Amino acid sequence: MFSRIFGKPKQESNALATLDKLNETLEMLEKKEKVLQKKASTEVERAKDFTKAKNKRAAIQCLKRKRLYEQQIEQLGNFQLRIHDQMIMLEGAKATTETVDALRTGAAAMKAMQKATNIDDVDKTMDEINEQTENMKMIQEALSTPMSAVDFDEDELEAELEELEGADLEEELLQPATTAPAAPVHIPAGKQAARPVPHRNTAEDDELEALQKEMAL
């Protein structure tokens, strides 16, 4: 009786500690995933630079590293999903334990009142425990599944490199012209520069003025 009374807080403490550990691991995996995503983006930018420099081999290597980072990101995503499943299972197990404890307390009260034991409650409790145990075994078997080997498709890498080259060419064609015509300079009224007086031939001008006077008469 006393062992059950003092054992219950210890079990709850262990369950909470395990949940805290799973949360810490989940946060660590999320941070690592962000780092890998940043590295993958960096490799894409480097591949673009090597493509502009006509270094196709170096660009392909960058894309290969990017693929490796993406596979690691996918693995981390699977790990996070498994941890979420583990947390759900643990929370369910904790709820089941609390339910079982409540049932045991009720059974004890019933026994004190009726001096009898309800065997159906015991069978139900054992069925729930067995079910949770089977679920835990299934999760452990899933975690022990080996990862598949890394394999690269050279045709896909070539196609991705061509897409990068096409994107860079399109970006260069869409860039606006760097030079523009000079804007006209506005000169305020009254401050405009005087126009130069053209050089005139004096003899010709005199004859023209004389002709104009005769026509006027």
Side-chain angles (χ1 to χ4, degrees), residues 16 40 61 67 73 78 117 126 141 195 199-200:
L16 292 175
Q61 292 298 323
R67 290 289 181 90
I73 292 171
N78 293 332
T117 302
M126 293 305 300
E141 291 176 358
R195 296 182 180 179
H199 179 73
R200 300 174 59 184

Side-chain angles (χ1 to χ4, degrees), residues 32-87:
K32 192 171 183 180
E33 183 179 2
K34 291 180 180 179
V35 172
L36 291 175
Q37 289 175 346
K38 185 177 181 180
K39 289 183 178 180
S41 299
T42 301
E43 292 299 333
V44 172
E45 296 300 325
R46 293 182 62 191
K48 291 181 179 180
D49 293 338
F50 284 125
T51 301
K52 293 179 180 179
K54 306 301 181 181
N55 192 344
K56 182 177 179 181
R57 183 174 182 180
I60 290 291
Q61 292 298 323
C62 291
L63 294 180
K64 287 183 177 180
R65 286 192 293 271
K66 192 259 296 184
R67 290 289 181 90
L68 286 174
Y69 289 139
E70 289 177 345
Q71 290 181 355
Q72 292 180 14
I73 292 171
E74 184 177 358
Q75 290 177 358
L76 291 179
N78 293 332
F79 292 158
Q80 293 177 44
L81 181 60
R82 291 172 181 173
I83 288 178
H84 280 297
D85 292 339
Q86 187 74 15
M87 292 173 67

Side-chain angles (χ1 to χ4, degrees), residues 7-20 22-23 85-104 125 128-129 131-133 135-136:
K8 180 179 177 182
K10 184 177 180 180
Q11 292 176 358
E12 291 181 354
S13 177
N14 291 337
L16 292 175
T18 304
L19 285 173
D20 291 338
L22 290 174
N23 276 322
D85 292 339
Q86 187 74 15
M87 292 173 67
I88 293 173
M89 292 298 301
L90 184 58
E91 290 173 351
K94 183 175 179 293
T96 302
T97 302
E98 293 174 352
T99 303
V100 172
D101 289 339
L103 292 174
R104 287 175 179 173
T125 300
E128 290 178 352
I129 293 175
E131 182 181 356
Q132 297 298 329
T133 301
N135 290 335
M136 294 294 291

Side-chain angles (χ1 to χ4, degrees), residues 127-154:
D127 290 340
E128 290 178 352
I129 293 175
N130 291 333
E131 182 181 356
Q132 297 298 329
T133 301
E134 290 298 325
N135 290 335
M136 294 294 291
K137 288 181 179 179
M138 292 175 62
I139 292 178
Q140 291 176 356
E141 291 176 358
L143 288 173
S144 62
T145 303
M147 298 294 179
S148 59
V150 178
D151 188 16
F152 294 107
D153 190 334
E154 296 293 336

Side-chain angles (χ1 to χ4, degrees), residues 103 117-127:
L103 292 174
T117 302
N118 190 350
I119 190 64
D120 293 336
D121 290 341
V122 177
D123 291 338
K124 181 180 178 181
T125 300
M126 293 305 300
D127 290 340

